Amino acid sequence: MTPLDEALLHSEPFADGWNILLGAVRSSMALPGVLRELAICRIAALNGTDYEWRAHAPIAHAEGLTDEQVAALRLGADTTPLEDDHQLVLAYTDAMTRSVTVPDELSAAVHKRLGTQQLVELTGTIAAYNMVSRFLVALHVGHAESADTSESTESEVTA
């Protein structure tokens, strides 16, 4: 059982809701996995959630991001390895995470590029994973874990 599982299971109803929401985000949407994982890794970087980064950077690679593209998601990193769609999602993720409000021009650009369904799914993904990172940070989940458990990326209840 991961440290996140242990924290969530202090409230079975919350853990159940968490699994349903995040299960849908990870596996039931039209939003491409590469954009989903790009947003999740950026949120982890923005919110200082190393546990979330360690869980999702390998998934971002599996979804098609290169080592250079994943590295570009860190704060202050050179973002030139990112493609145009990636840059757009990065800007949208930054706006939602840092100030909550997204400029109209940015929303319109994301909508034009992704369409309505994927815009809604991207927005929901960013909102959900900001919840995840805030939960992890507030409860110090994964801060003192050993190298053996830090490689765990997925479980029934997962970040």
Side-chain angles (χ1 to χ4, degrees):
M1 188 175 294
T2 70
L4 176 57
D5 295 331
E6 292 172 1
L8 287 169
L9 290 175
H10 286 284
S11 171
E12 189 173 329
F14 189 72
D16 289 343
W18 182 283
N19 277 335
I20 292 167
L21 172 62
L22 294 173
V25 167
R26 286 189 309 272
S27 63
S28 300
M29 297 193 302
L31 182 70
V34 67
L35 298 181
R36 178 192 67 237
E37 295 303 324
L38 182 148
I40 293 168
C41 287
R42 182 59 171 194
I43 291 163
L46 290 169
N47 292 337
T49 318
D50 292 335
Y51 182 91
E52 190 171 41
W53 180 273
R54 289 190 310 269
H56 284 274
I59 301 170
H61 282 114
E63 290 290 346
L65 290 178
T66 66
D67 289 340
E68 294 79 19
Q69 289 171 325
V70 172
L73 303 176
R74 294 282 193 183
L75 293 181
D78 176 14
T79 62
T80 55
L82 299 175
E83 298 171 9
D84 290 345
D85 285 355
H86 300 163
Q87 294 280 0
L88 200 54
V89 168
L90 187 74
Y92 193 79
T93 302
D94 284 5
M96 278 191 66
T97 302
R98 288 182 164 158
S99 65
V100 183
T101 303
V102 177
D104 291 341
E105 305 79 34
L106 179 55
S107 290
V110 174
H111 185 253
K112 182 177 180 182
R113 185 72 60 100
L114 299 181
T116 302
Q117 180 180 353
Q118 288 186 28
L119 171 62
V120 168
E121 292 175 353
L122 176 62
T123 303
T125 297
I126 296 166
Y129 274 89
N130 269 293
M131 174 192 71
V132 171
S133 67
R134 284 159 172 76
F135 183 89
L136 294 169
V137 170
L139 294 179
H140 305 284
V141 173
H143 281 212
E145 66 187 32
S146 70
D148 292 338
T149 60
S150 68
E151 295 302 314
S152 177
T153 59
E154 289 292 322
S155 69
E156 183 176 333
V157 179
T158 187

